[in-house]
Amino acid sequence: MSPTVAIPKRKLGKTGLEVTVLGMGGAPLGGLFQDLTDEQGAEAVKEAFKQGINFFDTSPYYGVTRSETVLGHGLKGLPRDQVILATKVGRYDKAKFDFSAATVTQSVHDSLKRLQVEYIDLIQTHDIEFGDLDQVSMPVLMTAL
């Protein structure tokens, strides 16, 4: 399946990745704004790709991991080399924040399984301003990844 619409792309910093100027956020896939079935969510992902979107952003926080699982189902059958995939670490529940190396490492491994992919293009820290500043340091986070 190839995109049917050409949405402009921009370079993502110095990563070498090019993302569409319009991406698909994963919060709705986790049911944060309204109920939707996993099938509806997966179809929305496929339709977004068909319409030219290549950037998909999610988090284990959205729907308590549901967003990542639904996004993983939606990505099945899409050419992985044409998708830029982002997820987050550090926030896991309304009041649960953990940016420790061990938790970040486990979170990435768990996200890979839920998303059903071999790699994630972009890992972001989620709501880092609420974290323990002793955990939130580049050496700690880089050790985890």
Side-chain angles (χ1 to χ4, degrees):
M1 174 188 300
S2 294
T4 58
V5 178
I7 296 178
K9 294 180 181 175
R10 302 284 185 268
K11 291 186 187 291
L12 182 62
K14 296 178 183 178
T15 64
L17 300 172
E18 289 194 5
V19 298
T20 49
V21 296
L22 179 64
M24 181 174 182
L29 301 176
L32 263 60
F33 305 114
Q34 67 182 43
D35 289 335
L36 96 148
T37 67
D38 291 357
E39 293 76 23
Q40 289 171 319
E43 277 304 310
V45 171
K46 291 184 185 312
E47 184 63 25
F49 181 80
K50 182 179 173 186
Q51 295 300 322
I53 292 173
N54 80 337
F55 182 61
F56 296 86
D57 175 52
T58 188
S59 168
Y61 172 62
Y62 303 148
V64 192
T65 73
R66 182 171 176 227
S67 174
E68 287 186 331
T69 302
V70 172
L71 180 56
H73 290 298
L75 293 173
K76 276 192 161 198
L78 299 183
R80 180 62 183 93
D81 63 336
Q82 294 179 34
V83 170
I84 307 299
L85 182 57
T87 194
K88 301 172 185 76
V89 296
R91 185 170 194 179
Y92 304 101
D93 204 335
K94 196 169 194 169
K96 182 180 178 190
F97 299 89
D98 189 342
F99 297 92
S100 67
T103 299
V104 166
T105 300
Q106 188 61 52
S107 182
V108 170
H109 289 290
D110 293 345
S111 291
L112 286 165
K113 288 177 191 170
R114 285 188 292 269
L115 291 162
Q116 302 176 55
V117 296
E118 293 184 19
Y119 64 94
I120 298 166
D121 299 290
L122 178 64
I123 302 291
Q124 304 162 92
T125 52
H126 200 171
D127 293 332
I128 199 168
E129 66 274 20
F130 299 115
D132 178 347
L133 293 180
D134 291 331
Q135 292 179 342
V136 182
S137 71
M138 265 321 232
V140 169
L141 293 175
M142 291 311 292
T143 299
L145 300 176

